[in-house]
PDB file of all heavy atoms in Angstrom:
ATOM      1  N   ARG A 219     161.042 171.846  97.866  1.00 94.00           N
ATOM      2  CA  ARG A 219     161.662 171.970  99.201  1.00 94.00           C
ATOM      3  C   ARG A 219     163.166 171.750  99.107  1.00 94.00           C
ATOM      4  O   ARG A 219     163.949 172.457  99.723  1.00 94.00           O
ATOM      5  CB  ARG A 219     161.055 170.949 100.173  1.00 94.00           C
ATOM      6  CG  ARG A 219     159.610 171.236 100.483  1.00 94.00           C
ATOM      7  CD  ARG A 219     159.114 170.336 101.569  1.00 94.00           C
ATOM      8  NE  ARG A 219     159.756 170.651 102.851  1.00 94.00           N
ATOM      9  CZ  ARG A 219     159.516 170.023 103.975  1.00 94.00           C
ATOM     10  NH1 ARG A 219     158.651 169.030 103.984  1.00 94.00           N
ATOM     11  NH2 ARG A 219     160.124 170.360 105.080  1.00 94.00           N
ATOM     12  N   VAL A 224     165.303 173.357 102.139  1.00 96.00           N
ATOM     13  CA  VAL A 224     164.530 173.057 103.351  1.00 96.00           C
ATOM     14  C   VAL A 224     164.793 171.585 103.663  1.00 96.00           C
ATOM     15  O   VAL A 224     164.734 170.729 102.777  1.00 96.00           O
ATOM     16  CB  VAL A 224     163.010 173.276 103.113  1.00 96.00           C
ATOM     17  CG1 VAL A 224     162.203 172.867 104.338  1.00 96.00           C
ATOM     18  CG2 VAL A 224     162.741 174.726 102.729  1.00 96.00           C
ATOM     19  N   SER A 250     180.024 151.007 108.671  1.00 98.00           N
ATOM     20  CA  SER A 250     181.443 151.346 108.498  1.00 98.00           C
ATOM     21  C   SER A 250     182.041 151.829 109.814  1.00 98.00           C
ATOM     22  O   SER A 250     183.186 151.505 110.150  1.00 98.00           O
ATOM     23  CB  SER A 250     181.626 152.446 107.441  1.00 98.00           C
ATOM     24  OG  SER A 250     181.054 152.062 106.230  1.00 98.00           O
ATOM     25  N   GLN A 255     185.856 150.127 113.903  1.00 98.00           N
ATOM     26  CA  GLN A 255     186.533 150.100 115.213  1.00 98.00           C
ATOM     27  C   GLN A 255     187.614 149.010 115.255  1.00 98.00           C
ATOM     28  O   GLN A 255     188.570 149.093 116.023  1.00 98.00           O
ATOM     29  CB  GLN A 255     185.538 149.774 116.324  1.00 98.00           C
ATOM     30  CG  GLN A 255     184.464 150.803 116.560  1.00 98.00           C
ATOM     31  CD  GLN A 255     183.483 150.288 117.596  1.00 98.00           C
ATOM     32  OE1 GLN A 255     183.590 150.567 118.767  1.00 98.00           O
ATOM     33  NE2 GLN A 255     182.526 149.503 117.152  1.00 98.00           N
ATOM     34  N   SER A 263     195.754 147.225 123.114  1.00 97.00           N
ATOM     35  CA  SER A 263     196.555 146.550 124.147  1.00 97.00           C
ATOM     36  C   SER A 263     198.060 146.723 123.919  1.00 97.00           C
ATOM     37  O   SER A 263     198.856 146.420 124.786  1.00 97.00           O
ATOM     38  CB  SER A 263     196.195 145.066 124.194  1.00 97.00           C
ATOM     39  OG  SER A 263     196.521 144.489 122.949  1.00 97.00           O
ATOM     40  N   ALA A 291     169.506 157.463 113.022  1.00 97.00           N
ATOM     41  CA  ALA A 291     169.050 158.272 111.873  1.00 97.00           C
ATOM     42  C   ALA A 291     168.366 157.363 110.847  1.00 97.00           C
ATOM     43  O   ALA A 291     167.320 157.704 110.294  1.00 97.00           O
ATOM     44  CB  ALA A 291     170.223 159.022 111.241  1.00 97.00           C
ATOM     45  N   SER A 298     164.171 148.785 111.080  1.00 97.00           N
ATOM     46  CA  SER A 298     164.540 148.515 112.472  1.00 97.00           C
ATOM     47  C   SER A 298     166.026 148.194 112.597  1.00 97.00           C
ATOM     48  O   SER A 298     166.686 147.783 111.628  1.00 97.00           O
ATOM     49  CB  SER A 298     163.726 147.334 113.018  1.00 97.00           C
ATOM     50  OG  SER A 298     164.196 146.137 112.435  1.00 97.00           O
ATOM     51  N   LYS A 312     176.787 146.643 102.560  1.00 96.00           N
ATOM     52  CA  LYS A 312     178.229 146.913 102.479  1.00 96.00           C
ATOM     53  C   LYS A 312     178.670 147.764 103.663  1.00 96.00           C
ATOM     54  O   LYS A 312     177.855 148.376 104.340  1.00 96.00           O
ATOM     55  CB  LYS A 312     178.524 147.669 101.189  1.00 96.00           C
ATOM     56  CG  LYS A 312     178.276 146.852  99.925  1.00 96.00           C
ATOM     57  CD  LYS A 312     178.829 147.599  98.715  1.00 96.00           C
ATOM     58  CE  LYS A 312     178.858 146.738  97.478  1.00 96.00           C
ATOM     59  NZ  LYS A 312     177.519 146.446  96.949  1.00 96.00           N
ATOM     60  N   GLY A 351     167.192 165.814 107.389  1.00 97.00           N
ATOM     61  CA  GLY A 351     167.479 166.441 108.679  1.00 97.00           C
ATOM     62  C   GLY A 351     168.262 165.560 109.656  1.00 97.00           C
ATOM     63  O   GLY A 351     169.354 165.946 110.092  1.00 97.00           O
ATOM     64  N   ALA A 389     206.610 154.478 109.410  1.00 98.00           N
ATOM     65  CA  ALA A 389     205.583 155.449 108.992  1.00 98.00           C
ATOM     66  C   ALA A 389     205.435 155.425 107.468  1.00 98.00           C
ATOM     67  O   ALA A 389     204.312 155.428 106.941  1.00 98.00           O
ATOM     68  CB  ALA A 389     205.955 156.855 109.465  1.00 98.00           C
ATOM     69  N   ILE A 422     171.294 164.136  98.663  1.00 97.00           N
ATOM     70  CA  ILE A 422     171.769 163.145  99.642  1.00 97.00           C
ATOM     71  C   ILE A 422     173.296 163.146  99.582  1.00 97.00           C
ATOM     72  O   ILE A 422     173.976 162.942 100.576  1.00 97.00           O
ATOM     73  CB  ILE A 422     171.180 161.748  99.317  1.00 97.00           C
ATOM     74  CG1 ILE A 422     169.674 161.744  99.600  1.00 97.00           C
ATOM     75  CG2 ILE A 422     171.879 160.653 100.109  1.00 97.00           C
ATOM     76  CD1 ILE A 422     168.954 160.479  99.159  1.00 97.00           C
ATOM     77  N   TRP A 470     191.119 149.705  90.296  1.00 98.00           N
ATOM     78  CA  TRP A 470     189.691 149.498  90.580  1.00 98.00           C
ATOM     79  C   TRP A 470     189.330 148.022  90.673  1.00 98.00           C
ATOM     80  O   TRP A 470     188.319 147.670  91.293  1.00 98.00           O
ATOM     81  CB  TRP A 470     188.819 150.239  89.550  1.00 98.00           C
ATOM     82  CG  TRP A 470     188.937 151.724  89.762  1.00 98.00           C
ATOM     83  CD1 TRP A 470     189.522 152.630  88.933  1.00 98.00           C
ATOM     84  CD2 TRP A 470     188.509 152.461  90.926  1.00 98.00           C
ATOM     85  NE1 TRP A 470     189.478 153.884  89.502  1.00 98.00           N
ATOM     86  CE2 TRP A 470     188.861 153.815  90.716  1.00 98.00           C
ATOM     87  CE3 TRP A 470     187.874 152.126  92.118  1.00 98.00           C
ATOM     88  CZ2 TRP A 470     188.590 154.819  91.647  1.00 98.00           C
ATOM     89  CZ3 TRP A 470     187.600 153.115  93.046  1.00 98.00           C
ATOM     90  CH2 TRP A 470     187.960 154.446  92.807  1.00 98.00           C
ATOM     91  N   GLU A 486     187.363 137.915 108.390  1.00 97.00           N
ATOM     92  CA  GLU A 486     187.707 138.140 109.805  1.00 97.00           C
ATOM     93  C   GLU A 486     186.816 139.242 110.417  1.00 97.00           C
ATOM     94  O   GLU A 486     186.299 139.097 111.525  1.00 97.00           O
ATOM     95  CB  GLU A 486     189.181 138.556 109.846  1.00 97.00           C
ATOM     96  CG  GLU A 486     189.747 138.749 111.211  1.00 97.00           C
ATOM     97  CD  GLU A 486     191.185 139.297 111.116  1.00 97.00           C
ATOM     98  OE1 GLU A 486     191.907 138.978 110.139  1.00 97.00           O
ATOM     99  OE2 GLU A 486     191.559 140.063 112.017  1.00 97.00           O
ATOM    100  N   LYS A 512     158.705 145.936 133.597  1.00 96.00           N
ATOM    101  CA  LYS A 512     158.408 147.302 133.993  1.00 96.00           C
ATOM    102  C   LYS A 512     157.062 147.737 133.398  1.00 96.00           C
ATOM    103  O   LYS A 512     156.223 148.342 134.081  1.00 96.00           O
ATOM    104  CB  LYS A 512     159.518 148.230 133.477  1.00 96.00           C
ATOM    105  CG  LYS A 512     159.980 149.243 134.479  1.00 96.00           C
ATOM    106  CD  LYS A 512     161.203 149.930 133.963  1.00 96.00           C
ATOM    107  CE  LYS A 512     161.376 151.266 134.635  1.00 96.00           C
ATOM    108  NZ  LYS A 512     162.503 151.983 134.083  1.00 96.00           N
ATOM    109  N   LYS A 518     149.595 147.258 135.463  1.00 95.00           N
ATOM    110  CA  LYS A 518     148.822 146.800 136.639  1.00 95.00           C
ATOM    111  C   LYS A 518     148.481 147.975 137.540  1.00 95.00           C
ATOM    112  O   LYS A 518     147.363 148.083 138.049  1.00 95.00           O
ATOM    113  CB  LYS A 518     149.629 145.767 137.423  1.00 95.00           C
ATOM    114  CG  LYS A 518     149.472 144.374 136.836  1.00 95.00           C
ATOM    115  CD  LYS A 518     150.070 143.331 137.759  1.00 95.00           C
ATOM    116  CE  LYS A 518     149.979 141.946 137.155  1.00 95.00           C
ATOM    117  NZ  LYS A 518     151.086 141.113 137.586  1.00 95.00           N
TER     118      LYS A 518
END
Side-chain angles (χ1 to χ4, degrees):
R219 293 188 68 180
V224 176
S250 304
Q255 295 175 95
S263 62
S298 73
K312 294 190 169 70
I422 290 173
W470 290 112
E486 184 186 329
K512 224 170 158 184
K518 276 190 183 149

